[in-house]
Amino acid sequence: MKNYVIKVELEEATETVMEDVLSYIYTGNVLITDERAHNLTATANYLLLPGLKALASNFIKKNP
């Protein structure tokens, strides 16, 4: 059996943003901040997490 490594290069997926993504996946909750909202939206979109994308997008709409 061969092992494969998949490398994802998504500039928006910083360590902090990925911690937020994992928090959302495990708990269903995430603390969205002004500094990370856009990166969180892009990362959620890339990872096919529509619930997280909606939360982050709504945050951006309410906090222009």
Short mmCIF file of all heavy atoms in Angstrom, two decimals:
data_model
loop_
_atom_site.label_atom_id
_atom_site.label_comp_id
_atom_site.label_asym_id
_atom_site.label_seq_id
_atom_site.Cartn_x
_atom_site.Cartn_y
_atom_site.Cartn_z
N MET A 1 0.85 -1.17 0.00
CA MET A 1 0.00 0.00 0.00
C MET A 1 0.90 1.24 0.00
O MET A 1 1.79 1.37 0.81
CB MET A 1 -0.91 -0.01 1.23
CG MET A 1 -1.76 1.21 1.36
SD MET A 1 -2.82 1.18 2.79
CE MET A 1 -4.37 1.01 1.96
N LYS A 2 0.63 2.16 -0.91
CA LYS A 2 1.40 3.38 -1.02
C LYS A 2 0.78 4.47 -0.15
O LYS A 2 -0.43 4.55 0.00
CB LYS A 2 1.45 3.88 -2.46
CG LYS A 2 2.23 2.98 -3.37
CD LYS A 2 2.28 3.57 -4.76
CE LYS A 2 3.08 2.67 -5.68
NZ LYS A 2 3.20 3.25 -7.01
N ASN A 3 1.63 5.30 0.42
CA ASN A 3 1.17 6.46 1.17
C ASN A 3 1.26 7.68 0.27
O ASN A 3 2.24 7.85 -0.44
CB ASN A 3 2.02 6.69 2.41
CG ASN A 3 1.83 5.60 3.44
OD1 ASN A 3 0.74 5.09 3.57
ND2 ASN A 3 2.88 5.26 4.15
N TYR A 4 0.26 8.50 0.31
CA TYR A 4 0.24 9.71 -0.48
C TYR A 4 0.12 10.91 0.45
O TYR A 4 -0.55 10.85 1.47
CB TYR A 4 -0.95 9.72 -1.45
CG TYR A 4 -0.86 8.63 -2.49
CD1 TYR A 4 -1.49 7.41 -2.30
CD2 TYR A 4 -0.12 8.83 -3.64
CE1 TYR A 4 -1.42 6.41 -3.24
CE2 TYR A 4 -0.03 7.84 -4.60
CZ TYR A 4 -0.68 6.63 -4.40
OH TYR A 4 -0.59 5.65 -5.33
N VAL A 5 0.77 11.98 0.06
CA VAL A 5 0.68 13.22 0.81
C VAL A 5 -0.01 14.24 -0.09
O VAL A 5 0.36 14.42 -1.24
CB VAL A 5 2.09 13.75 1.19
CG1 VAL A 5 1.99 15.11 1.86
CG2 VAL A 5 2.79 12.75 2.09
N ILE A 6 -1.03 14.85 0.46
CA ILE A 6 -1.74 15.89 -0.27
C ILE A 6 -1.39 17.22 0.39
O ILE A 6 -1.61 17.41 1.59
CB ILE A 6 -3.26 15.68 -0.23
CG1 ILE A 6 -3.60 14.35 -0.91
CG2 ILE A 6 -3.98 16.84 -0.90
CD1 ILE A 6 -5.05 13.95 -0.76
N LYS A 7 -0.84 18.11 -0.37
CA LYS A 7 -0.43 19.41 0.15
C LYS A 7 -1.43 20.46 -0.32
O LYS A 7 -1.67 20.61 -1.51
CB LYS A 7 0.97 19.76 -0.34
CG LYS A 7 1.51 21.02 0.25
CD LYS A 7 2.95 21.24 -0.17
CE LYS A 7 3.49 22.50 0.45
NZ LYS A 7 4.87 22.75 0.06
N VAL A 8 -2.01 21.15 0.63
CA VAL A 8 -2.96 22.21 0.33
C VAL A 8 -2.26 23.55 0.53
O VAL A 8 -1.75 23.82 1.61
CB VAL A 8 -4.21 22.13 1.25
CG1 VAL A 8 -5.14 23.29 0.99
CG2 VAL A 8 -4.91 20.81 1.06
N GLU A 9 -2.25 24.33 -0.51
CA GLU A 9 -1.65 25.65 -0.40
C GLU A 9 -2.75 26.70 -0.55
O GLU A 9 -3.13 27.05 -1.65
CB GLU A 9 -0.56 25.84 -1.46
CG GLU A 9 0.65 24.97 -1.20
CD GLU A 9 1.81 25.29 -2.10
OE1 GLU A 9 1.90 26.44 -2.58
OE2 GLU A 9 2.63 24.40 -2.31
N LEU A 10 -3.25 27.11 0.55
CA LEU A 10 -4.29 28.12 0.59
C LEU A 10 -3.77 29.23 1.49
O LEU A 10 -3.65 29.05 2.70
CB LEU A 10 -5.60 27.54 1.13
CG LEU A 10 -6.79 28.48 1.21
CD1 LEU A 10 -7.18 28.98 -0.18
CD2 LEU A 10 -7.96 27.78 1.86
N GLU A 11 -3.44 30.34 0.89
CA GLU A 11 -2.83 31.45 1.62
C GLU A 11 -3.65 31.89 2.82
O GLU A 11 -3.12 32.26 3.85
CB GLU A 11 -2.64 32.62 0.65
CG GLU A 11 -1.78 33.74 1.18
CD GLU A 11 -1.54 34.78 0.11
OE1 GLU A 11 -0.99 34.43 -0.95
OE2 GLU A 11 -1.91 35.94 0.35
N GLU A 12 -4.98 31.82 2.69
CA GLU A 12 -5.85 32.27 3.76
C GLU A 12 -5.89 31.32 4.95
O GLU A 12 -6.32 31.69 6.03
CB GLU A 12 -7.28 32.46 3.23
CG GLU A 12 -7.44 33.58 2.23
CD GLU A 12 -7.08 33.16 0.81
OE1 GLU A 12 -6.80 31.99 0.56
OE2 GLU A 12 -7.09 34.05 -0.06
N ALA A 13 -5.47 30.09 4.73
CA ALA A 13 -5.56 29.06 5.79
C ALA A 13 -4.36 29.14 6.72
O ALA A 13 -3.53 28.26 6.78
CB ALA A 13 -5.67 27.68 5.16
N THR A 14 -4.32 30.20 7.49
CA THR A 14 -3.23 30.37 8.45
C THR A 14 -3.44 29.42 9.63
O THR A 14 -4.50 28.80 9.76
CB THR A 14 -3.20 31.82 8.99
OG1 THR A 14 -4.43 32.06 9.69
CG2 THR A 14 -3.03 32.83 7.87
N GLU A 15 -2.46 29.33 10.47
CA GLU A 15 -2.57 28.45 11.64
C GLU A 15 -3.77 28.83 12.50
O GLU A 15 -4.53 27.96 12.94
CB GLU A 15 -1.29 28.53 12.47
CG GLU A 15 -1.29 27.65 13.67
CD GLU A 15 0.00 27.72 14.47
OE1 GLU A 15 1.02 28.21 13.96
OE2 GLU A 15 -0.02 27.29 15.64
N THR A 16 -3.94 30.10 12.73
CA THR A 16 -5.05 30.57 13.57
C THR A 16 -6.39 30.27 12.93
O THR A 16 -7.34 29.85 13.61
CB THR A 16 -4.91 32.09 13.83
OG1 THR A 16 -3.62 32.36 14.33
CG2 THR A 16 -5.93 32.57 14.82
N VAL A 17 -6.50 30.48 11.64
CA VAL A 17 -7.75 30.20 10.92
C VAL A 17 -8.05 28.70 10.97
O VAL A 17 -9.19 28.29 11.19
CB VAL A 17 -7.68 30.72 9.47
CG1 VAL A 17 -8.84 30.20 8.64
CG2 VAL A 17 -7.68 32.25 9.47
N MET A 18 -7.04 27.87 10.79
CA MET A 18 -7.25 26.42 10.84
C MET A 18 -7.67 25.98 12.24
O MET A 18 -8.47 25.06 12.39
CB MET A 18 -6.01 25.67 10.37
CG MET A 18 -5.79 25.78 8.87
SD MET A 18 -7.23 25.32 7.86
CE MET A 18 -7.42 23.59 8.28
N GLU A 19 -7.15 26.64 13.28
CA GLU A 19 -7.61 26.34 14.64
C GLU A 19 -9.09 26.66 14.78
O GLU A 19 -9.85 25.91 15.40
CB GLU A 19 -6.79 27.14 15.66
CG GLU A 19 -5.38 26.62 15.83
CD GLU A 19 -4.54 27.51 16.74
OE1 GLU A 19 -5.03 28.56 17.22
OE2 GLU A 19 -3.38 27.14 16.96
N ASP A 20 -9.51 27.77 14.18
CA ASP A 20 -10.93 28.14 14.20
C ASP A 20 -11.77 27.12 13.44
O ASP A 20 -12.86 26.75 13.88
CB ASP A 20 -11.13 29.54 13.59
CG ASP A 20 -10.60 30.65 14.45
OD1 ASP A 20 -10.39 30.42 15.66
OD2 ASP A 20 -10.37 31.75 13.92
N VAL A 21 -11.28 26.67 12.30
CA VAL A 21 -11.99 25.66 11.51
C VAL A 21 -12.16 24.38 12.32
O VAL A 21 -13.25 23.82 12.38
CB VAL A 21 -11.25 25.38 10.18
CG1 VAL A 21 -11.82 24.15 9.48
CG2 VAL A 21 -11.31 26.59 9.26
N LEU A 22 -11.10 23.94 12.94
CA LEU A 22 -11.17 22.71 13.74
C LEU A 22 -12.11 22.89 14.93
O LEU A 22 -12.86 21.97 15.28
CB LEU A 22 -9.78 22.29 14.22
CG LEU A 22 -8.87 21.75 13.12
CD1 LEU A 22 -7.47 21.52 13.65
CD2 LEU A 22 -9.44 20.49 12.52
N SER A 23 -12.08 24.05 15.53
CA SER A 23 -13.00 24.33 16.63
C SER A 23 -14.44 24.21 16.16
O SER A 23 -15.28 23.60 16.82
CB SER A 23 -12.74 25.73 17.19
OG SER A 23 -13.69 26.06 18.17
N TYR A 24 -14.71 24.77 14.99
CA TYR A 24 -16.06 24.69 14.43
C TYR A 24 -16.44 23.23 14.13
O TYR A 24 -17.56 22.80 14.43
CB TYR A 24 -16.16 25.52 13.15
CG TYR A 24 -17.48 25.37 12.46
CD1 TYR A 24 -18.61 26.03 12.93
CD2 TYR A 24 -17.62 24.53 11.36
CE1 TYR A 24 -19.84 25.86 12.33
CE2 TYR A 24 -18.84 24.36 10.74
CZ TYR A 24 -19.95 25.03 11.23
OH TYR A 24 -21.17 24.86 10.62
N ILE A 25 -15.53 22.48 13.55
CA ILE A 25 -15.82 21.08 13.20
C ILE A 25 -16.11 20.26 14.45
O ILE A 25 -17.05 19.46 14.47
CB ILE A 25 -14.65 20.47 12.41
CG1 ILE A 25 -14.59 21.10 11.01
CG2 ILE A 25 -14.77 18.95 12.32
CD1 ILE A 25 -13.35 20.74 10.22
N TYR A 26 -15.33 20.45 15.50
CA TYR A 26 -15.49 19.62 16.70
C TYR A 26 -16.61 20.10 17.63
O TYR A 26 -17.22 19.29 18.31
CB TYR A 26 -14.18 19.55 17.48
CG TYR A 26 -13.18 18.62 16.85
CD1 TYR A 26 -12.03 19.11 16.26
CD2 TYR A 26 -13.40 17.24 16.83
CE1 TYR A 26 -11.11 18.25 15.67
CE2 TYR A 26 -12.49 16.38 16.24
CZ TYR A 26 -11.35 16.89 15.67
OH TYR A 26 -10.45 16.04 15.08
N THR A 27 -16.85 21.40 17.68
CA THR A 27 -17.82 21.92 18.65
C THR A 27 -19.06 22.56 18.02
O THR A 27 -20.06 22.76 18.70
CB THR A 27 -17.17 22.96 19.57
OG1 THR A 27 -16.86 24.14 18.80
CG2 THR A 27 -15.92 22.42 20.24
N GLY A 28 -18.95 22.97 16.76
CA GLY A 28 -20.05 23.69 16.13
C GLY A 28 -20.04 25.16 16.46
O GLY A 28 -20.91 25.90 16.03
N ASN A 29 -19.01 25.59 17.21
CA ASN A 29 -18.88 26.99 17.60
C ASN A 29 -17.56 27.55 17.11
O ASN A 29 -16.58 26.83 17.00
CB ASN A 29 -18.94 27.13 19.13
CG ASN A 29 -20.26 26.69 19.67
OD1 ASN A 29 -21.31 27.07 19.19
ND2 ASN A 29 -20.21 25.84 20.69
N VAL A 30 -17.54 28.84 16.88
CA VAL A 30 -16.31 29.51 16.49
C VAL A 30 -16.41 30.99 16.87
O VAL A 30 -17.49 31.57 16.79
CB VAL A 30 -16.04 29.35 14.97
CG1 VAL A 30 -17.10 30.02 14.14
CG2 VAL A 30 -14.65 29.86 14.60
N LEU A 31 -15.32 31.54 17.32
CA LEU A 31 -15.27 32.97 17.63
C LEU A 31 -14.70 33.68 16.40
O LEU A 31 -13.52 33.51 16.07
CB LEU A 31 -14.38 33.23 18.85
CG LEU A 31 -14.19 34.69 19.23
CD1 LEU A 31 -15.53 35.33 19.59
CD2 LEU A 31 -13.22 34.81 20.38
N ILE A 32 -15.52 34.45 15.74
CA ILE A 32 -15.11 35.14 14.51
C ILE A 32 -14.70 36.56 14.88
O ILE A 32 -15.42 37.26 15.58
CB ILE A 32 -16.24 35.15 13.48
CG1 ILE A 32 -16.66 33.72 13.16
CG2 ILE A 32 -15.81 35.88 12.21
CD1 ILE A 32 -17.90 33.60 12.30
N THR A 33 -13.55 36.97 14.40
CA THR A 33 -13.05 38.33 14.65
C THR A 33 -12.90 39.07 13.33
O THR A 33 -12.85 38.46 12.26
CB THR A 33 -11.68 38.29 15.35
OG1 THR A 33 -10.72 37.69 14.48
CG2 THR A 33 -11.75 37.50 16.66
N ASP A 34 -12.80 40.39 13.43
CA ASP A 34 -12.60 41.22 12.24
C ASP A 34 -11.34 40.80 11.47
O ASP A 34 -11.33 40.80 10.25
CB ASP A 34 -12.46 42.70 12.63
CG ASP A 34 -13.76 43.30 13.12
OD1 ASP A 34 -14.83 42.83 12.67
OD2 ASP A 34 -13.71 44.22 13.94
N GLU A 35 -10.30 40.45 12.21
CA GLU A 35 -9.01 40.14 11.60
C GLU A 35 -9.05 38.84 10.78
O GLU A 35 -8.30 38.68 9.83
CB GLU A 35 -7.91 40.02 12.66
CG GLU A 35 -7.61 41.29 13.41
CD GLU A 35 -8.61 41.58 14.52
OE1 GLU A 35 -9.25 40.64 15.04
OE2 GLU A 35 -8.78 42.77 14.85
N ARG A 36 -9.90 37.89 11.18
CA ARG A 36 -9.88 36.58 10.54
C ARG A 36 -11.13 36.26 9.72
O ARG A 36 -11.19 35.23 9.07
CB ARG A 36 -9.68 35.50 11.60
CG ARG A 36 -8.34 35.57 12.27
CD ARG A 36 -8.04 34.33 13.06
NE ARG A 36 -8.99 34.05 14.12
CZ ARG A 36 -8.79 34.33 15.41
NH1 ARG A 36 -7.68 34.91 15.79
NH2 ARG A 36 -9.69 34.02 16.31
N ALA A 37 -12.11 37.12 9.72
CA ALA A 37 -13.40 36.80 9.07
C ALA A 37 -13.25 36.48 7.59
O ALA A 37 -13.82 35.49 7.10
CB ALA A 37 -14.38 37.95 9.27
N HIS A 38 -12.50 37.28 6.86
CA HIS A 38 -12.36 37.06 5.41
C HIS A 38 -11.59 35.77 5.12
O HIS A 38 -11.99 34.98 4.25
CB HIS A 38 -11.66 38.25 4.75
CG HIS A 38 -12.52 39.46 4.69
ND1 HIS A 38 -13.54 39.61 3.77
CD2 HIS A 38 -12.55 40.58 5.45
CE1 HIS A 38 -14.14 40.77 3.96
NE2 HIS A 38 -13.56 41.37 4.99
N ASN A 39 -10.51 35.53 5.85
CA ASN A 39 -9.73 34.31 5.66
C ASN A 39 -10.55 33.09 6.06
O ASN A 39 -10.44 32.03 5.43
CB ASN A 39 -8.43 34.36 6.46
CG ASN A 39 -7.43 35.31 5.86
OD1 ASN A 39 -7.64 35.86 4.78
ND2 ASN A 39 -6.34 35.52 6.56
N LEU A 40 -11.35 33.22 7.09
CA LEU A 40 -12.19 32.12 7.54
C LEU A 40 -13.25 31.79 6.48
O LEU A 40 -13.51 30.62 6.20
CB LEU A 40 -12.85 32.48 8.87
CG LEU A 40 -13.48 31.35 9.66
CD1 LEU A 40 -12.48 30.23 9.93
CD2 LEU A 40 -14.00 31.89 10.97
N THR A 41 -13.81 32.80 5.87
CA THR A 41 -14.79 32.60 4.80
C THR A 41 -14.16 31.87 3.62
O THR A 41 -14.72 30.90 3.10
CB THR A 41 -15.37 33.94 4.32
OG1 THR A 41 -15.97 34.61 5.43
CG2 THR A 41 -16.42 33.75 3.24
N ALA A 42 -13.00 32.33 3.20
CA ALA A 42 -12.31 31.69 2.06
C ALA A 42 -11.92 30.25 2.37
O ALA A 42 -12.10 29.36 1.53
CB ALA A 42 -11.07 32.51 1.69
N THR A 43 -11.43 30.01 3.56
CA THR A 43 -11.02 28.67 3.95
C THR A 43 -12.22 27.74 4.06
O THR A 43 -12.19 26.59 3.60
CB THR A 43 -10.23 28.70 5.27
OG1 THR A 43 -9.10 29.58 5.10
CG2 THR A 43 -9.73 27.33 5.65
N ALA A 44 -13.30 28.22 4.65
CA ALA A 44 -14.52 27.42 4.76
C ALA A 44 -15.07 27.08 3.38
O ALA A 44 -15.53 25.96 3.15
CB ALA A 44 -15.56 28.17 5.58
N ASN A 45 -15.00 28.03 2.47
CA ASN A 45 -15.45 27.78 1.11
C ASN A 45 -14.59 26.71 0.46
O ASN A 45 -15.11 25.77 -0.15
CB ASN A 45 -15.39 29.08 0.30
CG ASN A 45 -15.92 28.90 -1.10
OD1 ASN A 45 -17.04 28.47 -1.30
ND2 ASN A 45 -15.10 29.25 -2.08
N TYR A 46 -13.29 26.80 0.60
CA TYR A 46 -12.36 25.83 0.01
C TYR A 46 -12.57 24.43 0.59
O TYR A 46 -12.50 23.44 -0.13
CB TYR A 46 -10.92 26.30 0.24
CG TYR A 46 -9.90 25.40 -0.39
CD1 TYR A 46 -9.60 25.51 -1.75
CD2 TYR A 46 -9.24 24.44 0.35
CE1 TYR A 46 -8.67 24.68 -2.34
CE2 TYR A 46 -8.31 23.61 -0.24
CZ TYR A 46 -8.02 23.73 -1.58
OH TYR A 46 -7.10 22.91 -2.16
N LEU A 47 -12.83 24.36 1.89
CA LEU A 47 -12.98 23.07 2.56
C LEU A 47 -14.43 22.54 2.54
O LEU A 47 -14.73 21.54 3.16
CB LEU A 47 -12.49 23.18 4.01
CG LEU A 47 -11.01 23.48 4.18
CD1 LEU A 47 -10.68 23.69 5.64
CD2 LEU A 47 -10.15 22.37 3.57
N LEU A 48 -15.29 23.24 1.82
CA LEU A 48 -16.69 22.84 1.68
C LEU A 48 -17.40 22.72 3.02
O LEU A 48 -18.03 21.71 3.34
CB LEU A 48 -16.80 21.53 0.89
CG LEU A 48 -16.16 21.53 -0.49
CD1 LEU A 48 -16.24 20.14 -1.12
CD2 LEU A 48 -16.79 22.57 -1.40
N LEU A 49 -17.31 23.80 3.80
CA LEU A 49 -17.99 23.89 5.09
C LEU A 49 -19.01 25.03 5.00
O LEU A 49 -18.76 26.15 5.46
CB LEU A 49 -16.98 24.15 6.21
CG LEU A 49 -15.93 23.06 6.43
CD1 LEU A 49 -14.84 23.54 7.35
CD2 LEU A 49 -16.61 21.82 6.99
N PRO A 50 -20.18 24.76 4.40
CA PRO A 50 -21.14 25.83 4.15
C PRO A 50 -21.65 26.52 5.42
O PRO A 50 -21.93 27.72 5.40
CB PRO A 50 -22.27 25.16 3.39
CG PRO A 50 -22.13 23.71 3.70
CD PRO A 50 -20.66 23.47 3.95
N GLY A 51 -21.80 25.79 6.51
CA GLY A 51 -22.27 26.40 7.75
C GLY A 51 -21.28 27.42 8.28
O GLY A 51 -21.66 28.53 8.68
N LEU A 52 -20.01 27.07 8.26
CA LEU A 52 -18.97 27.99 8.72
C LEU A 52 -18.85 29.18 7.77
O LEU A 52 -18.71 30.32 8.21
CB LEU A 52 -17.64 27.26 8.84
CG LEU A 52 -16.45 28.09 9.28
CD1 LEU A 52 -16.71 28.77 10.62
CD2 LEU A 52 -15.20 27.22 9.34
N LYS A 53 -18.94 28.91 6.48
CA LYS A 53 -18.88 29.99 5.50
C LYS A 53 -20.02 30.99 5.74
O LYS A 53 -19.81 32.20 5.69
CB LYS A 53 -18.95 29.43 4.09
CG LYS A 53 -18.89 30.47 3.01
CD LYS A 53 -19.01 29.85 1.64
CE LYS A 53 -19.10 30.92 0.57
NZ LYS A 53 -19.33 30.33 -0.76
N ALA A 54 -21.21 30.48 6.01
CA ALA A 54 -22.37 31.35 6.26
C ALA A 54 -22.16 32.19 7.52
O ALA A 54 -22.46 33.39 7.53
CB ALA A 54 -23.64 30.52 6.37
N LEU A 55 -21.65 31.57 8.58
CA LEU A 55 -21.39 32.32 9.82
C LEU A 55 -20.40 33.45 9.59
O LEU A 55 -20.61 34.58 10.01
CB LEU A 55 -20.85 31.38 10.90
CG LEU A 55 -21.82 30.41 11.54
CD1 LEU A 55 -21.08 29.46 12.47
CD2 LEU A 55 -22.89 31.17 12.31
N ALA A 56 -19.30 33.12 8.91
CA ALA A 56 -18.26 34.13 8.67
C ALA A 56 -18.77 35.22 7.72
O ALA A 56 -18.50 36.41 7.93
CB ALA A 56 -17.00 33.47 8.12
N SER A 57 -19.52 34.82 6.70
CA SER A 57 -20.07 35.81 5.76
C SER A 57 -21.07 36.73 6.44
O SER A 57 -21.06 37.94 6.20
CB SER A 57 -20.76 35.09 4.59
OG SER A 57 -19.84 34.34 3.86
N ASN A 58 -21.91 36.18 7.29
CA ASN A 58 -22.88 37.01 8.03
C ASN A 58 -22.16 37.97 8.96
O ASN A 58 -22.60 39.10 9.14
CB ASN A 58 -23.86 36.14 8.79
CG ASN A 58 -24.85 35.44 7.89
OD1 ASN A 58 -25.11 35.89 6.78
ND2 ASN A 58 -25.39 34.34 8.34
N PHE A 59 -21.07 37.51 9.58
CA PHE A 59 -20.29 38.40 10.43
C PHE A 59 -19.78 39.59 9.63
O PHE A 59 -19.83 40.73 10.09
CB PHE A 59 -19.12 37.62 11.05
CG PHE A 59 -18.23 38.47 11.92
CD1 PHE A 59 -18.52 38.63 13.27
CD2 PHE A 59 -17.13 39.12 11.40
CE1 PHE A 59 -17.72 39.41 14.07
CE2 PHE A 59 -16.32 39.92 12.18
CZ PHE A 59 -16.61 40.07 13.53
N ILE A 60 -19.26 39.32 8.43
CA ILE A 60 -18.73 40.39 7.59
C ILE A 60 -19.83 41.36 7.19
O ILE A 60 -19.63 42.58 7.22
CB ILE A 60 -18.05 39.79 6.33
CG1 ILE A 60 -16.80 39.02 6.74
CG2 ILE A 60 -17.71 40.89 5.32
CD1 ILE A 60 -16.20 38.15 5.65
N LYS A 61 -21.01 40.85 6.87
CA LYS A 61 -22.14 41.72 6.48
C LYS A 61 -22.58 42.62 7.63
O LYS A 61 -22.95 43.76 7.41
CB LYS A 61 -23.32 40.87 6.01
CG LYS A 61 -23.10 40.18 4.69
CD LYS A 61 -24.26 39.28 4.36
CE LYS A 61 -23.97 38.45 3.13
NZ LYS A 61 -25.00 37.44 2.87
N LYS A 62 -22.53 42.09 8.85
CA LYS A 62 -22.98 42.86 10.01
C LYS A 62 -21.90 43.78 10.57
O LYS A 62 -22.21 44.69 11.34
CB LYS A 62 -23.44 41.92 11.13
CG LYS A 62 -24.70 41.17 10.75
CD LYS A 62 -25.12 40.22 11.86
CE LYS A 62 -26.36 39.43 11.44
NZ LYS A 62 -26.74 38.44 12.46
N ASN A 63 -20.65 43.54 10.20
CA ASN A 63 -19.53 44.33 10.71
C ASN A 63 -18.65 44.82 9.56
O ASN A 63 -17.52 44.38 9.42
CB ASN A 63 -18.68 43.47 11.66
CG ASN A 63 -19.46 42.96 12.83
OD1 ASN A 63 -19.80 43.70 13.72
ND2 ASN A 63 -19.80 41.67 12.79
N PRO A 64 -19.17 45.73 8.74
CA PRO A 64 -18.43 46.18 7.56
C PRO A 64 -17.15 46.93 7.91
O PRO A 64 -16.93 47.47 8.89
CB PRO A 64 -19.41 47.08 6.82
CG PRO A 64 -20.48 47.42 7.77
CD PRO A 64 -20.44 46.41 8.86
#
